[in-house]
Amino acid sequence: LLDYLNKVGVEELRYVIMTHPHADHIGGMQAVLERFEVEKIILPAFDKAPYPTTSIFESLLAAVVEQEVPAETAREGAVYPLGGGRFTVLQNGIATQDNYNLLSLVTLFEGGNLRVFSSGDAEKANETALVEKSLDLQAEIYIAGHHGSSTSNTEALVQRVRPAVALISCGRNNSYGHPHREPLELFEQQKAVVLRTDLQGTVVLGRNADGDIIY
């Protein structure tokens, strides 16, 4: 991650977003905070679950303090400006006793004539609660929930988002079998282009001068 950010010329970060405290989502975050100047770190609502006690999480919080990074708990409906766009927190998790996936932040980025929906590892319960609200969830880019797992990516949500591109972040030959068959079939029904990091590697998306989505 550091190599990539250096390669594309990143010198500082406006925001770092912790979707939830699982190691595969925060494992590289401490190194990022120590390498780059970060204006703000946005955290899940930890009052909705027992406080995490993993060594990775505790080391990360120590780095936040040591680097003096301002921290803020995400609020539903909060809007953060970013360049010529903005991202909105659509959901800041639901209460749980032991499943930290349910703390996942759901965000919608709007900018560059694109809308990007992202939900971390949010599961069906999160998605059901979100769909029940009267929100405009449509987005051209849909970052598949929970690495393309069948525990997420419900038909009701995917139909509300109506993505042109479904982007799946998953490791090659991962032990979880991600992405699962059910989400892939849903994306096919939506006629969404499916891009997978296990097959394509790092993916960068945007629009060209003609308005077409390119990657």
Side-chain angles (χ1 to χ4, degrees):
L1 177 59
L2 294 182
D3 287 344
Y4 178 76
L5 292 174
N6 285 325
K7 180 180 179 181
V8 297
V10 171
E11 296 180 351
E12 60 184 31
L13 294 166
R14 187 80 181 274
Y15 309 103
V16 167
I17 303 174
M18 182 190 296
T19 59
H20 63 297
H22 279 161
D24 61 322
H25 286 250
I26 66 170
M29 197 170 284
Q30 180 177 344
V32 169
L33 296 183
E34 293 171 347
R35 167 63 181 82
F36 299 100
E37 183 174 339
V38 175
E39 188 171 315
K40 182 179 294 184
I41 184 169
I42 300 171
L43 305 173
F46 287 118
D47 59 345
K48 295 185 178 184
Y51 207 67
T53 57
T54 64
S55 59
I56 288 178
F57 178 76
E58 291 178 343
S59 295
L60 173 57
L61 288 193
V64 172
V65 174
E66 291 169 5
Q67 301 300 320
E68 299 181 340
V69 181
E72 181 176 307
T73 297
R75 296 177 296 102
E76 289 189 9
V79 178
Y80 297 88
L82 185 59
R86 64 179 187 172
F87 69 90
T88 304
V89 178
L90 301 179
Q91 186 185 78
N92 67 344
I94 59 178
T96 178
Q97 285 300 311
D98 55 9
N99 184 358
Y100 289 109
N101 288 337
L102 301 184
L103 289 185
S104 290
L105 300 182
V106 181
T107 61
L108 179 69
F109 173 78
E110 302 167 89
N113 202 21
L114 280 175
R115 288 162 62 99
V116 182
F117 180 96
S118 177
S119 60
D121 281 355
E123 298 190 355
K124 291 179 179 179
N126 303 83
E127 295 181 1
T128 298
L130 185 63
V131 168
E132 289 175 351
K133 297 181 178 181
S134 299
L135 298 173
D136 179 9
L137 304 181
Q138 190 279 322
E140 291 87 355
I141 312 300
Y142 174 83
I143 301 178
H146 202 177
H147 315 284
S149 172
S150 59
T151 62
S152 311
N153 308 290
T154 57
E155 183 175 4
L157 177 64
V158 174
Q159 287 182 346
R160 284 283 297 276
V161 177
R162 304 190 308 280
V165 175
L167 176 58
I168 304 173
S169 176
C170 60
R172 183 176 297 172
N173 300 322
N174 67 86
S175 61
Y176 300 97
H178 295 152
H180 293 157
R181 174 179 52 81
E182 296 90 339
L184 291 175
E185 290 178 348
L186 275 176
F187 301 149
E188 183 178 358
Q189 292 171 14
Q190 289 290 316
K191 295 182 172 54
V193 174
V194 175
L195 302 175
R196 298 168 45 170
T197 60
D198 61 332
L199 300 180
Q200 275 95 17
T202 299
V203 178
V204 179
L205 292 137
R207 284 194 189 273
N208 62 17
D210 296 325
D212 300 318
I213 298 175
I214 56 173
Y215 63 91

